[in-house]
Amino acid sequence: MTLWNAILVAAIICVALKTLGYLVPARVMDAPRPARIADLLTVALLAALVAVQSLGVGQAITVDARVPAVAVAAGLLLLRAPFLVVVAAAAVVAALLRLWGWAL
């Protein structure tokens, strides 16, 4: 199977799952348990994405300038800083660390 075939099959599966979601009755999704699971699943998937993008290079795990930048961003988010300030501060931290030679 070529890569484009795999992408096409994955796209079809995603559209089918989304269509199935529209067929679920609203009373099922309004129940407390499914709503709570959906909220927690969203946070878990976002956290996994951040971890993979921050620590992953190919098949390896690496610690470079991205890790302190994400730590600074997390700290600023905990302090309720505006999002643009968070992004700018993380970018400055990563850029300075790379300038000083701590990067891949």
Side-chain angles (χ1 to χ4, degrees), residues 47-82:
L49 177 63
V50 168
V52 167
Q53 292 296 314
S54 298
L55 299 172
V57 173
Q59 296 292 325
I61 295 175
T62 185
V63 177
D64 60 5
R66 294 176 291 180
V67 175
V70 169
V72 166
L76 288 173
L77 285 173
L78 286 174
L79 295 173
R80 306 248 187 240

Side-chain angles (χ1 to χ4, degrees), residues 15-96:
V15 169
L17 283 173
K18 186 169 183 154
T19 303
L20 285 174
Y22 285 119
L23 299 177
V24 175
R27 63 180 169 76
V28 172
M29 294 310 293
D30 289 338
R33 178 173 271 173
R36 180 84 173 135
I37 290 171
D39 287 343
L40 293 176
L41 188 61
T42 303
V43 171
L45 289 173
L46 183 59
L49 177 63
V50 168
V52 167
Q53 292 296 314
S54 298
L55 299 172
V57 173
Q59 296 292 325
I61 295 175
T62 185
V63 177
D64 60 5
R66 294 176 291 180
V67 175
V70 169
V72 166
L76 288 173
L77 285 173
L78 286 174
L79 295 173
R80 306 248 187 240
F83 185 70
L84 288 177
V85 172
V86 171
V87 172
V92 167
V93 167
L96 288 175

